[in-house]
């Protein structure tokens, strides 16, 4: 009897051990499956936009696997939090994370869809330099969302990072007679693995500028070039996202067409996929400059010609023929002072409101200084 009881106890013990082992194995398999599941991260950046604010309401982000059709079936929500984003805050390397390491199925990711809501607005300065808020109408986005073709293979165990560039300049359409302002989003999507980032800053930092490169897609002779651009932020910092591997000329263009600074270029900037290229030191904007010249007719006297540029005196002396030349003078309107040498018996003469234009020489002609 005792033997039978011992056998029953032993069998019960083996059953418990077996059940525990199965549960542990299932748990380990479950954990392994979770660890192997691919995940996706989606960031939103602003490529460029010359407004005060452009606010968009992001309702959801969705993907479609193994299906490139326009069919409404098969879309998977990535459970993005509904939020209103000012796209113009996304400058100088700032980005908005829409989806953070969300698990997705394996296969081929064919499309990403950005779904916008109704609460989209834009702020534009009026004639009194005050910002007015207007509604942004987004009919296509509200109906079906904005679809971006991706075609990326998704495998187990990897995290996939995508960057969506929202080109505000091209996306905002100001209608003519109707007065409506429409949002017809122009976006591009890149992966951080298959592209790089160019970062840097522009000096002076208080001069708003647009920084850009041209991606020729490896075919300079064709017309499929793509401009990748971004505005500097209030500190002068910028970041160009989604730049493919290659060597580029970085072009910095002041936003104000009447700026005293001209377009400045930095050649031979190399980009490597998956890496950040930092341009150091800061890019110094080149001034728009011209020159001032003239001829003093008084004989046997040296005359010093001077102007004040940003509080600093710039000057040049006449040569043996009485000719003077002030070069690299920033554009603007100046008072020119002509100072003859001591003992010449001639009076100091001032010429007011003389304008210097970009790449031009203001020729003051022949000048005779009066007697003192």
């Amino acid at each position: 009897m005792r033997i039978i009881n011992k056998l029953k106890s032993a069998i019960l013990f083996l059953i418990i051990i077996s059940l525990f082992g199965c549960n542990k194995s299932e748990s380990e398999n479950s954990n392994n499956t979770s660890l192997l599941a691919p995940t996706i991260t989606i960031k939103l950046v602003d490529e460029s936009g010359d407004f005060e604010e452009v606010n968009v309401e992001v309702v959801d982000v969705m993907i479609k696997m193994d299906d490139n059709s326009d069919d409404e079936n098969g879309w998977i929500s990535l459970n993005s939090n509904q939020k209103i984003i000012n796209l113009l805050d996304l400058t100088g390397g700032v980005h908005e994370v829409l989806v953070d390491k969300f698990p997705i199925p394996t296969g081929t990711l064919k499309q990403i869809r950005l779904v916008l809501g109704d609460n989209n607005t834009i702020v534009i300065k009026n004639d009194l330099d005050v910002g007015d808020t207007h509604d942004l109408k987004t009919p296509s986005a509200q109906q079906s969302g904005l679809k971006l073709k991706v075609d990326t293979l998704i495998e187990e165990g990897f995290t996939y990072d995508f960057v969506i560039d929202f080109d505000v300049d091209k996306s905002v359409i100001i209608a003519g007679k109707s007065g409506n302002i429409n949002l017809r989003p122009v976006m591009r999507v890149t992966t951080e693995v298959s592209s790089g980032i160019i970062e840097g800053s522009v000096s002076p930092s208080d001069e708003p500028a647009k920084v850009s490169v041209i991606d020729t897609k490896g075919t300079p002779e064709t017309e499929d070039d793509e401009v990748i651009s971004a505005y500097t932020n209030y500190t002068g910092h910028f970041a160009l996202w989604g730049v493919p591997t290659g060597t580029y000329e970085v072009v910095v263009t002041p936003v104000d067409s009447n700026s005293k600074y001209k377009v400045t270029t930095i050649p031979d900037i190399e980009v490597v996929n998956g890496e950040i290229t930092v341009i150091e030191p800061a890019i110094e904007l080149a001034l728009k400059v011209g020159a001032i010249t003239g001829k003093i007719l008084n004989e046997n006297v040296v005359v010093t010609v001077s102007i004040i540029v940003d509080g600093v005196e710039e000057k040049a002396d006449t040569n043996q023929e009485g000719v003077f030349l002030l070069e690299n003078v920033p554009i603007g309107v100046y008072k020119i002072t002509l100072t003859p040498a001591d003992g010449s018996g001639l009076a100091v003469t001032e010429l007011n409101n003389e304008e210097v234009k970009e790449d031009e020489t203001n020729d003051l002609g022949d000048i005779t200084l009066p007697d003192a």
Side-chain angles (χ1 to χ4, degrees), residues 1 38 53 61-62 77 85 97 127 151 162 187 221 234 243 260 265 270 296 330 336 353-354 356 359 363 368-369:
M1 195 68 170
E53 294 180 21
V61 180
M62 309 177 78
S77 172
I85 302 169
V97 177
D127 294 338
D151 200 28
F162 292 88
M187 299 183 299
E221 68 281 358
Y234 68 95
V243 183
K260 64 181 181 180
T265 59
E270 294 186 5
I296 304 298
I336 302 173
N353 300 319
E354 292 294 339
V356 175
D359 298 329
D363 190 347
T368 300
L369 300 185

Side-chain angles (χ1 to χ4, degrees), residues 136-177:
L136 267 178
K137 303 182 183 302
T138 56
S140 61
Q142 293 166 352
Q143 292 170 9
S144 61
L146 311 166
K147 300 172 185 176
L148 299 165
K149 304 294 185 182
V150 180
D151 200 28
T152 298
L153 180 64
I154 305 298
E155 299 179 293
E156 289 184 337
F158 290 92
T159 294
Y160 295 85
D161 295 321
F162 292 88
V163 176
I164 297 176
D165 278 9
F166 206 121
D167 193 330
V168 172
D169 273 344
K170 295 179 180 178
S171 300
V172 175
I173 310 298
I174 301 178
K177 296 181 180 179

Side-chain angles (χ1 to χ4, degrees), residues 353-367:
N353 300 319
E354 292 294 339
E355 185 176 8
V356 175
K357 298 182 180 179
E358 184 180 10
D359 298 329
E360 294 184 11
T361 299
N362 183 351
D363 190 347
L364 303 179
D366 294 339
I367 303 169

Side-chain angles (χ1 to χ4, degrees), residues 296 298 301-305 316-318 324 337-341 346 369:
I296 304 298
N298 304 82
V301 61
V302 175
V303 176
T304 300
V305 183
D317 292 336
T318 54
F324 62 87
T337 302
L338 308 173
T339 306
L346 301 175
L369 300 185

Side-chain angles (χ1 to χ4, degrees), residues 287 307-314 328-330 334:
L287 286 165
I307 59 174
I308 301 298
V309 179
D310 293 331
V312 178
E313 183 182 43
E314 300 290 342
N328 297 318
V329 178
Y334 296 92

Side-chain angles (χ1 to χ4, degrees), residues 42-47 90-97 161-166 188-192 194-199 211-213 215 226-231 237-244 248 271 275-276:
I42 298 178
K43 302 172 184 176
L44 183 66
V45 300
D46 169 27
E47 187 158 311
L90 309 181
T91 59
V94 177
H95 62 268
E96 181 75 27
V97 177
D161 295 321
F162 292 88
V163 176
I164 297 176
D165 278 9
F166 206 121
R188 65 188 187 95
V189 60
T190 58
T191 62
E192 292 190 347
S194 61
S195 64
I197 300 172
I198 300 176
E199 287 190 3
V211 185
S212 60
V213 297
D215 175 17
E226 182 176 22
V227 177
I228 302 171
S229 62
Y231 282 101
H237 191 75
F238 68 88
L240 299 175
W241 295 73
V243 183
Y248 296 88
V271 177
E275 297 185 7
I276 299 175

